[in-house]
Amino acid sequence: MSHPIPNTSDSHSVQVILPQKQLGRKSDMYLFCCSYSHNVAPKGKYIAFVTTEAETDNPEIELKPGIELLGQVDEIFFDAYDRYEPANKQDEDNCFISTSYDATTHFESTVEDVIAMYSRITGKNLDLTVDLSAASAADEE
């Protein structure tokens, strides 16, 4: 795109979740946009994703509510991906496999999967707490 998403205060980075209930769907729809300011596109350009779980044989039509929010689009690509979950018995084969990405654009489910996999591999819970006072360079002289 050659512009930010309309009605987002000209933001160079946007994430919108369209609730399933408002769309009359079984799953939410996700809209994500970033721009040249993030070094992911040429100067003056924006990249947007509209994603959801396909519920019909016409996923391009299903994406219409999200695509309509983008305004004028320079170029559009459609793709559909199958989702996979590990079917092995990790306790027996000691092989730890993550699930495929889902439609979310905030990666919450992916992070949860990785943290759970860490726990299964190590037998420990991952501690992501940080002592900010120990990490602060402001206290150093």
Side-chain angles (χ1 to χ4, degrees), residues 8 17 26 29 34 40-41 49 51 53 58-59 65-67 73 76 85 93 96-97 109 112-113 120 125 131 138-139:
T8 61
I17 300 173
K26 296 176 189 167
M29 187 172 297
C34 57
V40 297
F49 296 91
T51 63
E53 296 287 330
N58 297 308
I67 292 171
V73 175
I76 193 164
E85 293 186 13
D93 62 16
F96 299 88
I97 303 169
S109 55
E112 289 171 349
D113 185 33
R120 289 191 304 272
N125 289 328
D131 179 0
D139 295 336

Side-chain angles (χ1 to χ4, degrees), residues 12 16 35 38-39 59 67 72 78-79 89 94 97 99 104 107 113 140-141:
H12 286 257
V16 177
S35 73
H38 301 92
N39 295 320
I67 292 171
Q72 179 65 38
F78 289 100
D79 209 345
K89 296 179 179 170
N94 209 28
I97 303 169
T99 59
T104 61
F107 299 106
D113 185 33
E140 296 178 14
E141 293 190 39

Side-chain angles (χ1 to χ4, degrees), residues 86 88 90-91 93-98 116-117 119-122:
N88 66 312
Q90 61 194 15
D91 295 339
D93 62 16
N94 209 28
C95 187
F96 299 88
I97 303 169
S98 64
M117 195 164 35
S119 297
R120 289 191 304 272
I121 293 168
T122 66

Side-chain angles (χ1 to χ4, degrees), residues 61-128:
I61 301 298
E62 292 180 58
L63 295 171
K64 191 175 178 184
I67 292 171
E68 288 176 343
L69 296 175
L70 300 178
Q72 179 65 38
V73 175
D74 297 342
E75 195 167 354
I76 193 164
F77 304 91
F78 289 100
D79 209 345
Y81 301 93
D82 290 329
R83 290 194 52 219
Y84 298 98
E85 293 186 13
N88 66 312
K89 296 179 179 170
Q90 61 194 15
D91 295 339
E92 296 174 16
D93 62 16
N94 209 28
C95 187
F96 299 88
I97 303 169
S98 64
T99 59
S100 298
Y101 287 118
D102 61 16
T104 61
T105 54
H106 49 65
F107 299 106
E108 179 179 2
S109 55
T110 302
V111 171
E112 289 171 349
D113 185 33
V114 170
I115 290 171
M117 195 164 35
Y118 173 89
S119 297
R120 289 191 304 272
I121 293 168
T122 66
K124 302 175 185 174
N125 289 328
L126 182 60
D127 182 3
L128 295 175

